[in-house]
Amino acid sequence: MEEDQDGNEIHNCVIKLREKPNQRRKKVYIGCGAGFGGDRPIAALKLLQRVKELNYIVLECLAERTLAERYQIMISGGDGYDSRITDWLRLLLPLAVERGTCIITNMGAMDPVGAQEKVVEIASSLGLSVSVAVAHEVSSAKLGSGSSTKKSYIMEGGISTYLGAAPIVECLEKYQPDVVITSRVADAALFLAPMVYELGWNWDDLEQLAQGSLAGHLLECGCQLTGGYFMHPGDKYRDISFPSLLDLSLPYAEMSFDGSLCVAKADGSGGVLNFSTCAQQLLYEVGDPGAYVTPDVVIDFRNVSFHSLSAHKVLCAGAKPSLSSAPDELLRLIPKECGWKGWGEISYGGYECVKRAKAAEYLVRSWMEEEFPGVSCNLASYIIGLDSLRTTSIHDNNISCGASEEIRLRMDGLFELKEHAVQFKTEFTALYTNGPAGGGGIRSISSEFILIVFKIRSSSLKEVFQ
């Protein structure tokens, strides 16, 4: 262990066994308050209100897409952390502090220390005194340079690494905080960490780590486990009434020391929690179900079973460590500038609306060619309501146009130069007075395109807890 110039503990990325870990509880209750960056804070508050047993609530609000967006905002002078943290914490902190429920979130994104400062500010404005811990990575090269400049902890080039549960466990052990803020941590690890801490597990308790990671994987997408993104009218197994869909409960897990796991939703809530919703979420974003890789354990999901105990609770069993039980390396996420994008949409309705959309597409392509010959090959076009969900082309004459009463033309372009993207936005907007009749609802945008590239993590990176 080292310390930086501010006295924060620095650990390398090698996970060492915990020394005589204490079992603080026989069972821990962990809720999912958010499954993605656009989730609903009021739903998290309702879970806190309805499930008084919750020891932890996890706000999982970071993904590759949102990480890239946050990097763009940060290099333009904005916040490197999720600015919605103000909305979330202002709503949740009072009840969470009253109940003793710890909030864990990856909303720190590119600037978790900045997020820490913001949460302390929010708590102070609410008259609350809270402890806010941070787990993130730093470059050992920066440590060696003696740099003390403001925000020198931010990784150069916006690089992030999928960290595991260990740095969060360290925070919980050292500070017993009210809030833990992280940089990029694997989704399941956000939920696994409090299990390891509360139940006294160690890093070689692979059976329990597999079950804990199963719990995290099931919870990480929020209401997808309890009926969200599941309802389908006309399917007797998936038809949910509108009022029931409105009353979805975010899920939570009950995890015991021996790895016994139940996932649940609030009693009396709407939605549905059963074998089908659990199986759907189990397979979500899983490549090889026999070797699902997380930073903490590689899991074999092939013998997982679900047994409904009630309309609100499901017993989950069977997650095992894979033959290669731990990953040798971690993934790094590297933002890469890949040019500029522009897109535009316009709606047409009524008689021959499809032909009018095709005429509009022809015009925009032609106008772009007039300004920048050859650049129109960078444009893709499709008609929402006709061919946007099919593997066809806007120019496929075999597509039936007769039934379309209203459609929306969408054009996307990826360009090497900013001026090309800006020109596309200008030309698309010109359809208002220069295009076919009856067009409306134009939207056109140009912006820099940042791609997230996956690479193996370098050993020169370390984890920091403060």
Side-chain angles (χ1 to χ4, degrees), residues 51-348:
V51 185
K52 295 181 173 62
E53 301 92 339
L54 287 185
N55 307 117
Y56 295 85
I57 187 165
V58 174
L59 308 179
E60 198 292 284
C61 296
L62 192 62
E64 289 72 40
R65 174 185 59 82
T66 46
L67 198 65
E69 291 172 353
R70 189 50 51 188
Y71 175 68
Q72 283 182 300
I73 293 170
M74 184 181 70
I75 62 178
S76 299
D79 293 329
Y81 58 87
D82 189 333
S83 57
R84 288 191 73 205
I85 199 168
T86 300
D87 302 330
W88 284 94
L89 274 296
R90 189 174 296 280
L91 186 65
L92 298 180
L93 267 179
L95 184 57
V97 171
E98 178 185 329
R99 294 266 176 85
T101 303
C102 177
I103 298 171
I104 299 175
T105 181
N106 54 13
M107 296 177 84
M110 294 289 180
D111 185 8
V113 177
Q116 179 189 39
E117 295 169 355
K118 174 58 67 173
V119 172
V120 171
E121 177 187 316
I122 294 166
S124 178
S125 72
L126 295 171
L128 301 172
S129 176
V130 299
S131 170
V132 184
V134 180
H136 64 98
E137 65 178 321
V138 296
S139 168
S140 56
K142 285 191 175 183
L143 291 174
S145 69
S147 172
S148 59
T149 58
K150 183 174 177 61
K151 296 192 176 183
S152 62
Y153 54 84
I154 293 178
M155 296 294 291
E156 186 175 351
I159 295 172
S160 295
T161 303
Y162 274 98
L163 303 179
I168 302 175
V169 174
E170 292 273 358
C171 284
L172 295 173
E173 287 181 330
K174 185 173 179 64
Y175 304 108
Q176 294 82 51
D178 301 292
V179 181
V180 179
I181 298 172
T182 76
S183 55
R184 190 58 172 119
V185 170
D187 296 350
L190 295 166
F191 301 87
L192 177 64
M195 300 176 196
V196 172
Y197 170 69
E198 295 286 356
L199 302 173
W201 294 348
N202 218 324
W203 300 116
D204 59 355
D205 293 326
L206 298 178
E207 299 283 337
Q208 288 94 326
L209 294 181
Q211 277 288 104
S213 297
L214 168 64
H217 178 64
L218 291 173
L219 294 180
E220 68 185 44
C221 292
C223 286
Q224 275 191 191
L225 186 65
T226 54
Y229 222 56
F230 180 79
M231 177 259 209
H232 199 301
D235 183 336
K236 67 178 181 179
Y237 299 106
R238 299 167 62 191
D239 199 353
I240 303 172
S241 71
F242 291 4
S244 181
L245 191 62
L246 178 64
D247 192 32
L248 287 181
S249 164
L250 283 158
Y252 66 97
E254 302 175 8
M255 178 62 79
S256 299
F257 168 78
D258 63 358
S260 298
L261 166 66
C262 288
V263 292
K265 64 187 185 75
D267 288 346
S269 62
V272 60
L273 175 64
N274 59 20
F275 174 88
S276 295
T277 62
C278 290
Q280 176 177 274
Q281 179 58 30
L282 176 69
L283 297 176
Y284 182 73
E285 293 183 339
V286 170
D288 181 358
Y292 180 66
V293 181
T294 77
D296 304 294
V297 61
V298 182
I299 316 155
D300 186 345
F301 283 151
R302 289 176 295 180
N303 292 313
V304 168
S305 63
F306 302 113
H307 176 66
S308 294
L309 303 179
S310 71
H312 304 292
K313 185 179 293 187
V314 174
L315 177 67
C316 312
K320 301 292 183 184
S322 182
L323 292 177
S324 55
S325 57
D328 296 324
E329 298 165 308
L330 300 180
L331 283 179
R332 297 176 69 190
L333 307 174
I334 304 174
K336 181 180 179 182
E337 296 179 0
C338 294
W340 292 78
K341 62 181 179 181
W343 63 265
E345 292 183 358
I346 185 170
S347 296
Y348 294 96

Side-chain angles (χ1 to χ4, degrees), residues 9-22:
E9 291 186 11
I10 309 292
H11 297 247
N12 65 31
C13 59
V14 177
I15 296 178
K16 298 179 180 178
L17 290 180
R18 303 174 67 203
E19 295 183 7
K20 299 179 181 179
N22 295 323

Side-chain angles (χ1 to χ4, degrees), residues 362-410:
Y362 168 78
L363 287 172
V364 174
R365 283 185 180 274
S366 300
W367 293 336
M368 287 296 292
E369 280 296 309
E370 286 181 351
E371 295 290 336
F372 301 106
V375 80
S376 67
C377 64
N378 296 325
L379 293 171
S381 307
Y382 39 94
I383 297 176
I384 299 170
L386 180 68
D387 64 357
S388 60
L389 300 180
R390 301 174 182 156
T391 55
T392 58
S393 164
I394 190 173
H395 304 293
D396 187 346
N397 293 323
N398 294 321
I399 298 176
S400 174
C401 305
S404 299
E405 295 184 355
E406 58 180 61
I407 49 84
R408 190 162 177 83
L409 171 67
R410 167 88 182 208

